[in-house]
Amino acid sequence: MAFGWGVQMSNPESFGPPIRSEFAGDPDMLELVEEFVRELPGRAASLSASYDQGEIESVTRLTHQLSGACGGYGFGEIGEVARDLECRLKKMGSAAELLTVREQVDELVSMCSRVVV
Amino acid sequence: MTESGNNTTEFTRHRVLIIDDAEDVHRLLGARLKQERLELLSALDGRTALEMAREQDPSLVLLDLDMPGMDGFEVLRHLKASDETHEIPVIVLSGLQSPADKVTAFDLGAVDYITKPFDLMELRVRVRSALKMADLINMLAQRAHIDGLTGLYNRIAFDERWAQSTAENQRHAKPLSLAIFDLDHFKSINDTYGHPAGDEALRTFARLLQRECRQSDVPCRFGGEEFVLIMPETGPDAAAAVCNRIREALEAIEWPAHPERRVTVSCGVLGADNTATISPSDWVQATDEQLYAAKNGGRNRVMVSRADRADQSLRQTG
Ligand SMILES: [Mg+2]
């Protein structure tokens, strides 16, 4: 392992261009966006962990919250991914079907790990 | 409460209850609505929200449809089913919902919807417009109870207040009196000096009535030149004293345009120190009979009788 990668080393999927908030320049929003950005990796980690455990309810709840919030904080692109995932999760009859959304979950987790103000 | 205007809403902060299971949404709306001078209340689930709606009486509810447990539709149904909350306007915050869901929300009584993620300007104008509409509705409801000429309560308001007052008297044997005033020779005032002078006499008497009665008294314009005064916690003797003060104050007024003319008023009072023995409508009727006795007795006087005894003796005071 190389030096200096910090925490991101633990999640190789998070490599990619940083995702910036559309509201970074809005002084009303700056503090909120900063807080959201601080919390987002933790939320992505919970989502990832719930998914690995096959906990469909908490995967759905976390995704629902991201789909409602991301757009509002200026991360519309992430919001849309979360929204599509949420739609699919809501149609699922059992936790076994979680396997069918592996890619989207990974993509969402990855995007959440790349946010910056 | 006898103020005729309703300018208070302009100066009070509207209370808005936000119901959403996602804390992010509350923070976001807090920032987005910061400049709107609103008092924001937050509920993260339906049960808490319903309790808060009942206790805090918000001017507007912003309601997320998609919540675990009790969802937004169910919250909306409960809000609209309860007398305490059914008049609160509700704007639905919709995320994934289909047009059919939005239609359902409107059918259930929502006034508008806002799609997530929120567009800043859209959010603000929709909130503003819902609050403005709510203010107008409140104002109209209040106006329906106010007499346009005098600013006093009108007959509709009287009927409600009288029903409440007589129920109190029945339940707790609390003293209660009713007075009916009728301006003397009002037709001749109109005929001699014109209708504007008649209106001025009505307005002056209304102001005087408001000034001379006590805080808990409820003055109303009954119609035409007839006014009523509900006097809670007041027996017939004290009521007669109040009414005589009013009668004397009117008689003492000098009318700048017509110094030769005095306007006077006749008054009938029916009061009870204990539980009344007559129905609320008979009470009004019997008070009216006292008024006629005052008119027949020569006007500019107060006639008083009791509503809590069989021997309703007729007395003239003042
Ligand atoms: Mg929700």
Side-chain angles (χ1 to χ4, degrees):
Chain A
M1 294 272 165
F3 300 106
W5 292 105
V7 287
Q8 296 210 337
M9 257 325 279
S10 61
N11 187 358
E13 281 159 328
S14 67
F15 289 113
I19 301 173
R20 288 180 196 284
S21 167
E22 297 150 42
F23 303 142
D26 183 341
D28 272 359
M29 291 293 294
L30 186 60
E31 209 175 306
L32 277 181
V33 173
E34 282 171 345
E35 192 182 346
F36 188 70
V37 164
R38 257 197 313 276
E39 289 176 359
L40 210 45
R43 291 163 75 159
S46 310
L47 175 63
S48 185
S50 304
Y51 183 81
D52 290 343
Q53 310 281 316
E55 291 162 355
I56 187 162
E57 265 176 40
S58 88
V59 172
T60 308
R61 182 171 45 82
L62 290 163
T63 306
H64 168 65
Q65 287 174 358
L66 290 174
S67 101
C70 285
Y73 288 89
F75 299 102
E77 207 188 331
I78 309 179
E80 271 166 42
V81 173
R83 194 174 297 248
D84 288 343
L85 175 59
E86 186 188 3
C87 274
R88 297 193 54 178
L89 288 165
K90 294 218 154 140
K91 286 177 197 143
M92 287 183 185
S94 74
E97 290 176 63
L98 276 178
L99 288 172
T100 62
V101 292
R102 156 119 256 156
E103 248 171 64
Q104 275 120 313
V105 172
D106 283 347
E107 190 189 3
L108 183 57
V109 169
S110 156
M111 288 177 100
C112 287
S113 317
R114 280 154 46 205
V115 293
V116 293
V117 175
Chain B
M1 203 179 78
T2 48
E3 67 272 16
S4 56
N6 177 35
N7 296 322
T8 50
T9 43
E10 264 178 69
F11 303 103
T12 42
R13 282 161 86 96
H14 284 288
R15 200 174 287 158
V16 177
L17 173 60
I18 301 169
I19 309 170
D20 198 302
D21 59 306
E23 274 179 65
D24 299 311
V25 170
H26 294 272
R27 273 181 276 169
L28 204 54
L29 288 172
R32 288 318 202 179
L33 295 171
K34 201 159 87 187
Q35 288 155 7
E36 302 294 299
R37 299 183 68 249
L38 303 171
E39 184 187 340
L40 299 180
L41 307 170
S42 288
L44 290 164
D45 65 89
R47 300 245 164 254
T48 315
L50 289 174
E51 210 169 285
M52 287 177 83
R54 267 194 305 273
E55 281 166 12
Q56 314 265 347
D57 191 29
S59 313
L60 175 66
V61 165
L62 301 182
L63 174 64
D64 180 29
L65 287 178
D66 203 337
M67 294 189 288
M70 186 189 282
D71 71 6
F73 293 112
E74 210 180 327
V75 173
L76 190 50
R77 240 175 247 123
H78 277 95
L79 286 173
K80 294 299 160 187
S82 155
D83 280 349
E84 290 168 293
T85 55
H86 82 270
E87 277 176 5
I88 307 171
V90 177
I91 296 179
V92 160
L93 307 175
S94 67
L96 285 178
Q97 281 70 34
S98 63
D101 284 334
K102 285 173 190 156
V103 171
T104 306
F106 277 101
D107 285 345
L108 289 174
V111 297
D112 203 354
Y113 69 86
I114 302 174
T115 311
K116 293 193 240 181
F118 310 117
D119 176 84
L120 176 58
M121 285 321 293
E122 183 186 333
L123 172 73
R124 285 188 187 155
V125 295
R126 287 188 192 269
V127 165
R128 269 181 222 158
S129 111
L131 287 171
K132 195 168 189 175
M133 184 67 84
D135 281 349
L136 285 172
I137 289 168
N138 282 340
M139 194 189 70
L140 286 175
Q142 225 172 50
R143 289 249 168 112
H145 288 78
I146 299 288
D147 173 58
L149 181 68
T150 63
L152 295 183
Y153 278 135
N154 62 17
R155 178 135 200 179
I156 299 168
F158 167 78
D159 287 341
E160 280 174 21
R161 298 299 291 261
W162 183 239
Q164 286 164 11
S165 301
T166 48
E168 282 275 292
N169 167 266
Q170 286 299 313
R171 248 197 316 274
H172 307 295
K174 280 186 180 169
L176 173 65
S177 292
L178 179 69
I180 305 182
F181 293 88
D182 189 284
L183 295 188
D184 295 329
H185 302 295
F186 183 70
K187 189 174 178 305
S188 118
I189 298 172
N190 270 333
D191 291 349
T192 315
Y193 307 104
H195 284 276
D199 286 354
E200 187 48 35
L202 292 172
R203 273 196 293 263
T204 301
F205 182 67
R207 274 199 300 275
L208 188 153
L209 196 57
Q210 242 169 331
R211 195 185 69 214
E212 297 291 329
C213 71
R214 288 92 33 98
Q215 192 78 44
S216 55
D217 295 344
V218 184
C220 314
R221 184 177 176 206
F222 219 31
E225 64 271 32
E226 265 196 347
F227 295 82
V228 286
L229 186 61
I230 302 173
M231 291 169 278
E233 311 272 355
T234 309
D237 295 334
V242 169
C243 293
N244 262 310
R245 209 169 65 215
I246 292 165
R247 181 189 62 75
E248 282 164 10
L250 180 66
E251 192 182 14
I253 290 178
E254 262 194 51
W255 302 81
H258 312 287
E260 76 288 358
R261 178 76 186 245
R262 292 294 155 131
V263 178
T264 59
V265 69
S266 298
C267 173
V269 176
L270 206 75
D273 285 309
N274 296 297
T275 309
T277 51
I278 53 176
S279 73
S281 58
D282 285 351
W283 193 328
V284 175
Q285 178 67 38
T287 311
D288 212 34
E289 282 159 21
Q290 294 301 310
L291 169 63
Y292 275 89
K295 291 276 185 194
N296 290 334
R299 299 189 167 84
N300 190 23
R301 68 197 60 209
V302 176
M303 295 294 288
V304 59
S305 183
R306 310 193 64 96
D308 53 357
R309 268 200 229 127
D311 62 319
Q312 290 172 9
S313 55
L314 213 89
R315 280 180 295 139
Q316 182 201 324
T317 67

